[in-house]
Structures are given as C-alpha cells and as structure tokens.
Amino acid sequence: MLKKTTVFLILLMHFVHADPSASALENSQKKALIFGVSGQDGTYLAEFLLSKNYQVHGVSRNPRLAEELFTIKGFKITLLENPDFILLEGDIVNSTSVIKLIDKVRPDEIYNLAAQSSVKQSFETPEETSEVNAIGTLRILDALQLLSLTKKVKFFQAASSEIYGMYPGNAPYAKYRFHPKTPYGIAKLYSYWITVNYREAYGIFACNGILFNHESPLRGEGFVTRKITQAAVKYKLGSREILKLGNLDAQRDWGYAKDYVEAMWLMLQQDEPDDFLIATGELHSVREFVEQAFGELDIEIVWKETGIDEIGVDKATGQIIVQIDSDFYRPTETTPFVPNVTETDQKLNWKPKTDFRELVKIMIEADYKREKSLSHNQ
Ligand code: F7E
C-alpha cells in the first residue's frame, strides 16, 4: 500500500516539475498566422482562435495603426492585452517580408485574409488589386514551398463569391462554373486556382473558403450594409442628410462575419483539404436591407418614382431619406444566385447561426450605441 502511494507521489512530482512534460504542454499550443488581422474577418478570427487556445500571430502593414483600431473598436482586452496575441509588421506584396514572417513564426495554420476588399475600388485600381489579391496568395504558398513547410503548415485562403460573377441565377448549381465580372473577382479567381494548384502539386493542406458577403459592426463604411445602418441611426438621431445609393435591386447573400470565421477554422480541422461555399443560402436586395435597417428603428420607408429618380421617403413625415446616385453603380455587376450550401452543411457540418434580420439588428444596435456615445462625448 505504502509502495503504491510512493510511486504515485513520484509520478505526480514528475508531472509537476519535469521540464520535458512542461514543454510538451507548451508545444501542444497551436500557432496561427493571420495575414490581414486588422480587418473585420481578421479581428473576429483572432478572437475566435484565442478562445480555442491558439497562439495568434497577426500580420498588419501598420501594427501601430492596427493597435489603435483594435482599441477604438473595443478589442483592447480580448486581443491587445492577451499574451497569446502577437502583432507583427508585414505585407503580402513583399515576398521577403512573407518568407521572413513564416520562417520566424513557423505556424501550424496560416489564414490569408489580406486583400483589397472593395469591388468598386478594383475598377479604379485593378493593378494594385491583382498585386494583393492574386499574387499575394502566391507569395504565401510559394514561401511554404521554399521553406520546405508544405507538409507542416495548413493554409486557408479567403476566396470570394465574386469569382462566379455571371453565374446564371436559374442554372443548375455547379461548383466550378466561373465567369468573374470585376477586376476584384478576377484576382480572387487567380488566388482560388493557385491555392488548388499548390494543393495538387505539392500536397499542401490548402483550402479555399468561397465566402459570400459577410457583414458586422466592424464592416468598413464604404460597403453598402454599413453605409445603410450608419445612415439609419444618424437619421433616427436627427440628421437629415440624404442616403445616396446605387442599384437598390442588387441582391446579395449576406451573412454575419462572426459566424464565418468558425467555418474558416473548421476547414483546416478536416481530414482532407477541400474548398467550401460559405453562405446563408438566402438572397436579399439592397432595398430590403434599407427597409429592414430603418424598420429596426421604427421608421417605415415608402418608395416613390422609378429608375434614377426613385426616392425612399419616411412614411410618417414625408422626409426624403434615400436618393439614387449613379456614381454608386458599377461598370459591370455580379449576377446574384442562390448558392447550394448542402456540401458545406454535410461535409463541414457548419451552418450560419445568424439570419438576415438578426444581422441587421446587430449592426443597427452597434451603430446606435456608437453614435450615441460619440454625441455624448462632443
Ligand atoms: O456591395 C450594391 C452594389 O460594396 C453590395 C466585399 O466583401 O462582398 C463584398 O463585395 C451590393 C453591390 O459589397 C451601393 O452594387 C448599391 O451589388 O457592400 P458592397 P460587394 O461588392 O458585394 C464580396 C463577396 C467580396 O468578396 C468583397 O470583398 O450593393 N450597392 N448601392 C452599393 N454598394 C456600395 N458599396 N455602395 C452603394 O451606395
């Protein structure tokens, strides 16, 4: 009996003090490297991975600015003050920077979320867009090859529904039917195929998440959803500035970015690498988004006139809220289609948790809180 207790104590001491077991514990912590950490998706993904006990290395072109952004947006405690979160300076337009970063961190997983993310802007700066959104991805994949890390590191690429472009809405679903209609979509299609190619050629565990529009209170103000929620809140608080929009009948599949980062991570936890559509499977128009956003604030919109003269009016007061501005039209638009998310549901076992109404509500509430506190501090 005494002998058994002694053996148990010796074993216990061994586990508590022995260095090898301590370092084994340390080594079991996975390391992730996120390119584009300060954007909407990077921020949510960093938080998500930290909650899964990862050590997260986040790359930003300007870490000091990224710190400021995290602080303003309320991520000081969850990110900046977390010892497992490390901000690094780097840029995917620079191969040396990419190689050095990957060599330094030696991550288990890399997430490439760095992009010039505005489709409209891509018509004005197509070359820069391709440099970042297409060749940037190649630089990361090629660094893995050069550093002989093809078997060690798993890679996630944020692909986009813009790669489908002209997908005819009523055609039978086909995963590989691409006809991008924007410089953004074309650059993203290159990054999609180069990811597939490095998987097939070098056996990298590389996955494309074909992400449909995903929004949140962290969305940039130039994207239509955030533009609308901000305008709605300002109107509610007394502003009479007219909301100028482009194509009200453009349709999108809008999900919640916070849900989508879980899907990115899940892809890298599968037995085999593959590409998945990440979407809600529901289409809504910009018009519906406007109605829903103002509706959340008890403002009912009625539409009058047609075409470029169409206006959205406050039903209760007759005040003009929305006007059309052709500057927000694009030279070519992506045709919307309802994505078939069966494979994502069945193979990845992932479904979005937040529907369209909840998403609009989350964004309106966050903008309302922010605007209120801004006006309070003035
Ligand atoms: O436009 C229409 C516009 O700029 C949505 C990015 O995350 O999702 C996003 O790209 C729709 C378009 O996003 C305005 O014509 C009307 O049909 O919010 P957006 P996007 O172009 O769909 C894809 C999947 C990505 O990968 C991209 O990175 O709304 N629209 N009026 C307007 N759009 C804007 N921005 N402003 C307007 O006034």
Side-chain angles (χ1 to χ4, degrees):
M1 182 67 201
L2 189 73
K3 261 188 177 171
K4 265 190 178 173
T5 317
T6 315
V7 171
F8 174 75
L9 279 173
I10 290 169
L11 276 174
L12 188 69
M13 296 290 284
H14 176 77
F15 278 114
V16 170
H17 293 292
D19 275 338
S21 48
S23 71
L25 265 181
E26 259 171 41
N27 290 340
S28 71
Q29 186 180 31
K30 279 192 185 171
K31 276 194 220 172
L33 180 61
I34 304 176
F35 286 94
V37 74
S38 59
Q40 168 189 262
D41 296 1
T43 306
Y44 286 132
L45 180 67
E47 246 196 345
F48 176 81
L49 293 176
L50 288 167
S51 79
K52 294 266 174 212
N53 194 36
Y54 277 64
Q55 188 181 73
V56 177
H57 298 253
V59 183
S60 163
R61 275 181 296 173
N62 187 340
R64 274 182 58 189
L65 186 67
E67 272 188 25
E68 274 173 39
L69 283 174
F70 287 136
T71 308
I72 295 167
K73 291 178 177 174
F75 292 87
K76 192 165 191 280
I77 296 173
T78 53
L79 294 186
L80 297 179
E81 290 177 7
N82 189 325
D84 281 331
F85 182 67
I86 298 125
L87 257 179
L88 299 166
E89 186 174 342
D91 194 340
I92 62 165
V93 302
N94 179 336
S95 314
T96 313
S97 157
V98 171
I99 295 167
K100 278 188 177 166
L101 276 169
I102 297 175
D103 194 28
K104 180 177 166 188
V105 177
R106 299 252 152 185
D108 299 283
E109 294 170 9
I110 294 179
Y111 295 84
N112 182 24
L113 311 178
Q116 189 297 93
S117 62
S118 163
V119 174
K120 176 123 194 331
Q121 173 73 21
S122 76
F123 285 100
E124 280 128 49
T125 56
E127 189 182 343
E128 187 201 322
T129 302
S130 307
E131 193 57 61
V132 181
N133 295 10
I135 309 301
T137 307
L138 171 67
R139 290 190 185 97
I140 300 174
L141 287 163
D142 216 37
L144 294 179
Q145 162 78 351
L146 287 167
L147 294 165
S148 305
L149 292 174
T150 49
K151 297 290 179 289
K152 175 182 158 29
V153 183
K154 293 181 175 180
F155 176 72
F156 171 84
Q157 171 58 29
S160 162
S161 54
E162 284 289 309
I163 63 178
Y164 290 106
M166 222 179 70
Y167 194 96
N170 53 3
Y173 166 78
K175 194 168 170 184
Y176 303 112
R177 192 169 168 163
F178 306 121
H179 184 155
K181 295 285 282 179
T182 63
Y184 173 93
I186 292 160
K188 282 281 182 179
L189 187 54
Y190 174 89
S191 75
Y192 171 91
W193 280 121
I194 202 70
T195 300
V196 172
N197 181 247
Y198 270 61
R199 177 168 79 215
E200 291 173 354
Y202 306 112
I204 299 181
F205 193 112
C207 306
N208 281 293
I210 306 173
L211 306 166
F212 284 62
N213 295 53
H214 47 291
E215 318 294 309
S216 77
L218 299 185
R219 194 53 147 153
E221 293 165 16
F223 294 94
V224 79
T225 54
R226 189 74 203 297
K227 186 172 165 182
I228 296 167
T229 56
Q230 277 202 322
V233 161
K234 285 185 181 157
Y235 181 80
K236 180 73 179 176
L237 294 173
S239 163
R240 289 298 169 257
E241 195 182 324
I242 294 175
L243 169 60
K244 302 217 168 128
L245 293 172
N247 183 4
L248 289 174
D249 296 314
Q251 290 180 310
R252 288 291 185 270
D253 179 321
W254 279 297
Y256 184 28
K258 217 170 171 174
D259 292 345
Y260 285 29
V261 298
E262 185 191 12
M264 298 176 186
W265 172 76
L266 272 174
M267 275 180 227
L268 299 194
Q269 315 313 312
Q270 302 302 300
D271 292 337
E272 298 293 332
D274 202 350
D275 310 313
F276 290 94
L277 295 181
I278 306 300
T280 68
E282 251 185 55
L283 284 178
H284 294 275
S285 66
V286 172
R287 187 187 299 279
E288 276 176 87
F289 200 103
V290 172
E291 289 166 0
Q292 190 67 37
F294 281 82
E296 277 300 323
L297 297 161
D298 298 322
I299 300 157
E300 193 180 338
I301 301 227
V302 285
W303 302 100
K304 294 186 173 170
E305 313 300 335
T306 52
I308 196 85
D309 299 322
E310 186 165 10
I311 48 171
V313 171
D314 184 339
K315 190 180 179 197
T317 64
Q319 171 72 40
I320 296 179
I321 293 182
V322 182
Q323 258 176 3
I324 305 299
D325 184 338
S326 55
D327 274 359
F328 296 110
Y329 278 92
R330 296 170 184 182
T332 39
E333 255 290 1
T334 294
T335 317
F337 74 101
V338 181
N340 184 339
V341 283
T342 319
E343 198 186 30
T344 311
D345 186 0
Q346 289 173 356
K347 266 179 87 179
L348 200 61
N349 197 14
W350 178 88
K351 266 194 177 109
K353 299 184 183 83
T354 315
D355 68 11
F356 177 71
R357 279 170 159 262
E358 282 171 275
L359 169 66
V360 178
K361 189 167 189 276
I362 290 168
M363 292 179 72
I364 284 285
E365 281 176 359
D367 273 332
Y368 192 79
K369 215 168 133 192
R370 187 175 296 129
E371 280 300 322
K372 273 290 230 191
S373 76
L374 281 177
S375 57
H376 187 75
N377 292 337
Q378 272 166 11

